[in-house]
Amino acid sequence: MSLAKRIIPCLDVDDGRVVKGVQFVDIRDAGDPVEVAKRYDQQGADEITFLDITATAHERDTTVHMVEEVASQVFIPLTVGGGIRSVEDIRTMLNAGADKVAINSAAIFNPGFVKEVCNAFGSQCIVVAIDAKKVSTDGEPDKWEIFTHGGRKETGIDAIEWAIKMESLGAGELLVTSMDRDGTKSGFDIELTRTIADSVKIPVIASGGVGELSHLSKGITDGHAEAVLAASIFHFGEHTIEEAKTAMQQDGIEVRL
Amino acid sequence: MDQKLVAVVDYGMGNLRSVSKAAEHMADSNTRIVVTSHPDEIEAADAIIFPGQGAAKACMKALLDTGMIHPIQKAAKEKPFLGICMGLQVLMSHSDENEGIECLNVIKGNVSHFDLDSTPELKVPHMGWNQIHQSNEHPLWHQIPQDSRFYFVHSYFVEPDDAHLIAGETTHGQTFASALSSNNLFAIQAHPEKSAEHGLQLFKNFLQWNGK
């Protein structure tokens, strides 16, 4: 027996409220992050990730209060991503009770930022989020590049080289999202996940495209990920975390049940 | 009945808020949890929680800068004391982290990095939920099932000179000491404040423990 593979539900948060429809049958307020987080904790989620999609500074303050509320009632690791740009942003989130922050654009604008914040807060709390799209065509060797702005803007940065660079700058973990698969329910980009996971020593979280439970197992067994992140299959009550773990266990994967 | 005072040591490192919140969550109405960096309050407290995160060198420097080294060494010998994560590692005599650094020397032994050469497939940091095999009976393991999973995040682990001090073991490529106990002191590599029901039970056990 050893380290369990992790399942991480991801919640979009706007102005301190959960958005994009969480639908549990027996929950009073699906927008209340504390209620939703508690439900996932009860189902056996290994961590919870909040993606802050708010635009204004005022809304951002609301998110900080939300993290405080959740952290005082839910005792599993919490990651906050979205709009993390400065040392102060990170300090604020950690002090509010977040355990990790996910950095995306800020790392692309200034890779030195990753090194700076890993030195300041420790690698254990710095997750670098990598949004990648396949740019090679059929017949060419696989190649993925980093995209920003929800997959609309290309950066010209090779995703695999970027992952290795982020590890060398101190990142504690990589959240790898396939922008080709995100929202398609057709499963992870396994080649992308595996190529990155096999290129670094730090854990990789697979993300983007989960539509059925078997996709989760494939992210681990074929994609070599340490953890899998999904949103909609859990939010809409299609499956509980517990069902997902049972399915993974049947596929021979060690999970925390 | 006198109120029980539990001090969470604040030396500027780590997820203090998570630790104090978990302790508060499990504290009875007669127990007060304070987050403090004052040696006087450490001295006055009935029990000490010593968290920590980040690098050993930065932790030792923060302890030095805040004048906490002596109060911590003293408390670790005198009253119920719970070390967590880096708060376990810096209790040792020496750590290999940051090209080597002398630590608090409360427990004789070294802090070593996971062996990547012999296990190239190993992911480091050791991050996630792993089992702790309880090596002995201890009040802090009360009502926590054998081999329960706790949440870990670390790249180094402790190797006490005296193997009798090992209270729990975990395997990640190799088997290492994930909890130590010595008289009034208990220290754990995992994060009980992030380990759901079993972690909360450990806090409850600590808050009820008289250190014996």
Side-chain angles (χ1 to χ4, degrees), chain A residues 33-161:
Chain A
V34 176
E35 275 205 56
V36 177
K38 271 187 176 170
R39 176 56 44 89
Y40 281 134
D41 177 25
Q42 284 161 10
Q43 288 184 1
D46 296 309
E47 299 182 17
I48 296 174
T49 291
F50 292 102
L51 185 61
D52 184 8
I53 59 170
T54 57
T56 69
H58 170 71
E59 288 173 344
R60 190 150 283 275
D61 289 344
T62 316
T63 305
V64 173
H65 293 304
M66 179 210 83
V67 173
E68 282 175 0
E69 281 293 302
V70 175
S72 57
Q73 297 184 60
V74 178
F75 299 98
I76 59 174
L78 306 174
T79 302
V80 180
I84 302 286
R85 293 200 167 78
S86 67
V87 169
E88 204 44 49
D89 288 342
I90 296 175
R91 183 171 288 123
T92 303
M93 283 304 173
L94 295 179
N95 284 342
D99 300 282
K100 310 184 212 179
V101 293
I103 301 171
N104 195 338
S105 316
I108 294 164
F109 295 137
N110 175 20
F113 178 63
V114 174
K115 188 170 188 177
E116 181 190 354
V117 299
C118 288
N119 285 338
F121 302 105
S123 297
Q124 83 287 337
C125 65
I126 305 297
V127 183
V128 172
I130 298 179
D131 291 348
K133 254 189 194 179
K134 197 168 185 175
V135 293
S136 52
T137 52
D138 288 346
E140 286 178 356
D142 284 341
K143 186 172 167 62
W144 298 267
E145 278 183 12
I146 307 289
F147 279 69
T148 61
H149 298 81
R152 295 191 304 278
K153 261 193 185 169
E154 58 177 311
T155 63
I157 300 168
D158 182 87
I160 314 303
E161 288 171 18

Side-chain angles (χ1 to χ4, degrees), chain B residues 19-36:
Chain B
V19 171
S20 63
K21 278 179 169 172
E24 278 161 15
H25 196 75
M26 300 313 285
D28 61 28
S29 57
N30 197 42
T31 302
R32 192 158 67 95
I33 312 288
V34 290
V35 175
T36 182

Side-chain angles (χ1 to χ4, degrees), chain A residues 1-4 6 41 45-47 68-69 71-78 94-97 99-100 121-122 124 172-173 197-198 200-204 224 226 254-256, chain B residues 13-15 17-18 21-23 25 53-55 58 116 119-131 149 151-154 171-173 192-197 200:
Chain A
M1 299 295 262
S2 57
L3 190 62
R6 288 170 279 155
D41 177 25
D46 296 309
E47 299 182 17
E68 282 175 0
E69 281 293 302
S72 57
Q73 297 184 60
V74 178
F75 299 98
I76 59 174
L78 306 174
L94 295 179
N95 284 342
D99 300 282
K100 310 184 212 179
F121 302 105
Q124 83 287 337
E173 196 169 31
D198 289 353
V200 296
K201 299 299 299 183
I202 54 178
V204 166
H224 299 176
E226 283 294 304
E254 192 163 344
V255 291
R256 162 183 165 257
Chain B
M13 299 294 289
N15 56 343
R17 195 172 185 101
S18 300
K21 278 179 169 172
H25 196 75
Q53 249 181 2
L116 295 174
T119 44
E121 297 303 305
L122 206 64
K123 289 288 181 182
V124 175
H126 172 225
M127 185 184 291
W129 297 79
N130 206 337
Q131 291 173 299
R149 288 187 188 274
Y151 188 80
F152 288 82
V153 188
H154 63 122
T171 302
H172 183 56
E193 74 280 10
K194 288 289 154 184
S195 297
E197 53 174 336
L200 292 174

Side-chain angles (χ1 to χ4, degrees), chain B residues 32 35 38 51 60 87 98 108 152 155 172 200 208:
Chain B
R32 192 158 67 95
V35 175
H38 292 292
M60 284 305 294
N98 308 121
K108 302 270 183 251
F152 288 82
S155 301
H172 183 56
L200 292 174
Q208 291 175 348

